[in-house]
Amino acid sequence: MLVHFDIDGNGVKEWTLVELQGRVENREEGDTIDGLPLGQLTRTDGGEIELVVGNSKLVGAEVKLDKPFAVLVPNQDKQNAVRESDVVEKNDAHWSVVGIVKRKLLFKSRPQPIVVKNE
């Protein structure tokens, strides 16, 4: 899963990869989670990353990737994607860079249940 966090200095958006162990499922609206909020993501004073999903808490860490990678989308307008001197073939693929992934949030432990004490 990729999450947009902030803007890099050169104007390209920086994205962060979220790596979870297990499966994330939507029990209410079919089998897709597209566009649904996953949970609440926070950073503790100690630098740990916490993700609260429903009544479970995941604790993880931010890890820098050895090699950054680009997030690409197909460019629909071929005329703007190439220079005038380039030859555009009918089946050429043109891609736009929409983001760079330089780090990931790694959650490698099992979720901890959140128990609320009733008084």
Side-chain angles (χ1 to χ4, degrees):
M1 171 183 349
L2 292 174
V3 180
H4 171 251
F5 273 97
D6 53 3
I7 305 290
D8 198 359
N10 61 4
V12 176
K13 295 179 182 179
E14 183 176 324
W15 292 58
T16 301
L17 179 70
V18 178
E19 184 175 327
L20 302 170
Q21 306 301 315
R23 182 186 306 187
V24 178
E25 295 179 347
N26 179 10
R27 295 183 182 183
E28 294 180 12
E29 298 179 24
D31 55 346
T32 181
I33 61 170
D34 293 345
L36 295 176
L38 178 62
Q40 183 177 3
L41 186 68
T42 57
R43 181 185 307 267
T44 65
D45 292 336
E48 289 183 326
I49 307 295
E50 292 183 350
L51 176 62
V52 176
V53 180
N55 60 353
S56 299
K57 180 173 79 169
L58 296 149
V59 179
E62 182 178 348
V63 178
K64 184 177 177 182
L65 296 176
D66 292 334
K67 294 182 180 181
F69 63 90
V71 179
L72 305 172
V73 295
N75 192 344
Q76 302 298 325
D77 186 6
K78 290 184 181 181
Q79 300 301 330
N80 293 334
V82 296
R83 296 184 303 270
E84 293 177 17
S85 62
D86 290 340
V87 176
V88 178
E89 296 292 329
K90 183 177 180 180
N91 294 326
D92 280 353
H94 298 282
W95 298 86
S96 296
V97 176
V98 295
I100 302 291
V101 178
K102 297 180 182 178
R103 57 197 168 128
K104 70 179 176 180
L105 303 179
L106 177 61
F107 298 95
K108 57 184 176 181
S109 60
R110 296 184 64 83
Q112 302 168 356
I114 298 174
V115 180
V116 178
K117 189 175 189 179
N118 291 333
E119 295 186 31

